Amino acid sequence: MICHIIRSDHFGAWGMADFRAALVLAVLVAGTGCALASGPIKDGPIRAVGIENEYANVIQQIGRRYVAASAIESNPNTDPHSFEASPRVAQQIAGAALVVENGVGYDSWADKIIAAAPDPHRVVINVQHLLGLPNATPNPHLWYAPTTMPVVAKAVAAALGRMAPGHAAYFEANVARFDASLKPWYAAIAAFKARYGGTPVAVTEPVGDYMLEAAGADIETPFSLQAAIMNGTDPSPQDVATQNALFNAHKVKVFVYNQQVTDPLTASFLDLARKDHIPVVGVYETMPTPGYDYQSWMLAEVQALQRAVTAGISTQSLLGGK
C-alpha cells in the first residue's frame, strides 16, 4: 500500500515554534517549488528522501542515475528517538517527489511536515502500512527484518516507474539486482541458525531483534526492559535484576548493544558484560557510514554475531574503533 499523506498528532521533541517556522518554509517551498517535486527526469533527477538513511540508500540503489536521494536521519552517533527536525529538514521533505518513512510512530514528526506541504504528485511510502502492520507493532525497527527491504525496493520501483514510465524497466531491473545482493546476508543468517540456533543473547533494546529472531537466537532480555530503554522510561527493578543476572550467571553468550541509545543503565550493562567476558556486538538504528550500504551493513552485523559466538570476539563498533 502506498500512501500519499499520513497524519499524526505526535510532535516528539520538536517545539511548536520550530514547527511553525518549518511550516512556513514548507508551504513556501510547496507554493513555489512544485516543479522541483514533480518534474522528474526532464528537469533533472527525481528528488527523493528517506527519513532514515537506510531507506535513502535503497531508494538510490533502485533509482540510480535517475534519482537524487537524501536522508534526514543519518548520524550513527546520535539517538534517533530524540531527533529534532529543523526548517531545513522541512524544506528538504517538501521538495521531494518521493518520501519513504518507517512508520510505527518512529518518525511521525515527518507526517506533520508532509501534511504542511501538500503536493498531489508526491508519493509517500510508509513502510509500516506497506507491510500491513498495526500501529501497536511493538518493535518499530522494521529494516532489520530480512523480509522488509525487498518489499520497499519493489514499492520504490513502482513509484519511480509511474513518475518516469520510460525508465520503469530500468527500475525493475535494479530491484532484481538489489534482491540478488541480499543473498549473502540471507545465507549468513541461515548458516548461523543452522549451527548456532538457540544461542542465548542479551540486548539493550529491540533494535536488532528481528534479525536475531531470524537467526534463531534466543533473546533472554525481558521485552519490558527493552521497551523501557527504547522509550526512555525507567525499567522495573526486577527487569534490571534479571538482566544483570544474565551476565553474572553467564546465561548469555552475546550482548547486543545499541550504539545509538545509551544512558547510564545501558552503560552499566556494557560494563558488566565486559567484566563477565561476554562478547559485545554493536548495532545501529541508522546505517553506519561511511563504508556501508544497506546489505553490507546487515551482513556485517550477522558476521559480528558469528564471531562473538564462535571466537568470543567483540565487535562493538562497525566503524573501526571501540
Side-chain angles (χ1 to χ4, degrees):
M1 170 180 169
I2 298 176
C3 307
H4 287 268
I5 295 293
I6 300 109
R7 300 182 185 284
S8 169
D9 295 327
H10 178 62
F11 272 99
W14 210 21
M16 182 59 74
D18 292 330
F19 176 74
R20 285 171 176 155
L23 178 64
V24 170
L25 269 177
V27 169
L28 285 173
V29 169
T32 62
C34 283
L36 297 177
S38 56
I41 309 301
K42 67 179 181 180
D43 299 324
I46 298 169
R47 292 190 181 187
V49 167
I51 300 300
E52 293 76 23
N53 66 348
E54 48 266 30
Y55 292 126
N57 182 257
V58 173
I59 295 170
Q60 193 65 59
Q61 291 191 54
I62 302 306
R64 293 184 176 264
R65 64 178 180 270
Y66 297 115
V67 169
S70 59
I72 305 297
E73 298 196 36
S74 58
N75 188 342
N77 299 310
T78 60
D79 179 358
H81 300 285
S82 61
F83 178 81
E84 295 185 29
S86 66
R88 185 164 179 254
V89 166
Q91 187 175 16
Q92 187 177 351
I93 292 175
L98 170 65
V99 177
V100 176
E101 62 177 2
N102 184 72
V104 204
Y106 189 84
D107 45 15
S108 54
W109 55 265
D111 298 334
K112 295 291 184 183
I113 296 175
I114 293 167
D119 180 346
H121 301 292
R122 183 189 303 124
V123 174
V124 176
I125 297 175
N126 178 300
V127 177
Q128 172 201 346
H129 297 166
L130 184 69
L131 300 176
L133 299 174
N135 292 336
T137 300
N139 184 0
H141 307 98
L142 306 178
W143 55 92
Y144 269 94
T147 54
T148 294
M149 281 304 187
V151 180
V152 174
K154 187 174 181 180
V156 166
L160 295 176
R162 286 193 293 275
M163 295 175 192
H167 303 294
Y170 174 84
F171 301 136
E172 288 298 329
N174 288 338
V175 171
R177 183 181 293 112
F178 176 75
D179 288 347
S181 72
L182 291 171
K183 290 182 179 177
W185 179 38
Y186 296 159
I189 289 174
F192 186 94
K193 186 174 184 178
R195 296 197 62 182
Y196 308 108
T199 295
V201 303
V203 302
T204 51
E205 67 156 283
V207 58
D209 280 10
Y210 290 125
M211 186 173 69
L212 292 170
E213 289 162 359
D218 283 344
I219 301 168
E220 301 291 340
T221 300
F223 191 81
S224 51
L225 173 63
Q226 300 179 50
I229 293 174
M230 176 176 66
N231 296 322
T233 60
D234 292 331
S236 71
Q238 294 83 359
D239 282 347
V240 174
T242 297
Q243 179 85 332
N244 288 338
L246 294 176
F247 301 122
N248 290 331
H250 290 86
K251 294 180 179 177
V252 294
K253 292 186 176 180
V254 184
F255 178 39
V256 179
Y257 183 78
N258 186 355
Q259 293 281 7
Q260 291 179 249
V261 178
T262 60
D263 60 20
L265 179 62
T266 64
S268 74
F269 293 150
L270 184 61
D271 289 342
L272 198 55
R274 288 169 170 166
K275 172 177 171 291
D276 291 327
H277 305 290
I278 307 293
V280 177
V281 171
V283 290
Y284 300 80
E285 304 211 15
T286 53
M287 184 178 67
T289 55
Y292 292 97
D293 56 22
Y294 171 74
Q295 49 270 53
S296 64
W297 168 34
M298 290 291 111
L299 177 59
E301 295 287 14
V302 177
Q303 291 172 334
L305 182 66
Q306 180 159 340
R307 282 194 299 273
V309 173
T310 59
I313 296 175
S314 291
T315 307
Q316 188 176 328
S317 171
L318 294 179
L319 293 173
K322 305 173 184 177

